């Protein structure tokens, strides 16, 4: 739904990953990403954390970001109001 908010570099990066990984590995990686439970791993984090959520993010809801922040030790949350989601 938010594909139209992405920069032109994002689809290019996806195509490069697909070309490097091949179809089977790419699809397995996408499935793993969608199945992942970051809240389930939050207790493993030992360093301070900053959770940055894009203000226009249509994938990660506010309450999920708040729960992740609460589950992480010594963490804070902020929001980039202009970004659909955080750029890496």
């Amino acid at each position: 739904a938010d594909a139209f908010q992405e920069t032109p570099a994002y689809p290019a990066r996806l195509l490069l990953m697909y070309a490097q990984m091949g179809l089977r590995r790419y699809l397995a990686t996408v499935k793993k990403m969608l199945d992942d439970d970051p809240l389930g791993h939050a207790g493993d984090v030992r360093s301070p954390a900053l959770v940055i959520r894009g203000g226009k993010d249509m994938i990660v809801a506010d309450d999920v970001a708040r729960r992740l922040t609460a589950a992480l030790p010594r963490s804070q949350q902020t929001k980039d109001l202009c970004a659909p989601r955080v750029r890496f």
Side-chain angles (χ1 to χ4, degrees), residues 51-68:
V51 177
I52 305 172
R53 182 179 179 278
K56 299 177 184 175
D57 192 334
M58 297 170 63
I59 295 174
V60 179
D62 275 332
D63 66 315
V64 173
R66 281 193 295 274
R67 286 186 299 172
L68 179 60

Side-chain angles (χ1 to χ4, degrees), residues 25-38 41:
R25 184 170 170 217
Y26 179 79
L27 292 176
T29 300
V30 169
K31 181 181 181 330
K32 178 71 174 167
M33 289 181 344
L34 295 174
D35 290 344
D36 189 42
D37 176 22
H41 303 288

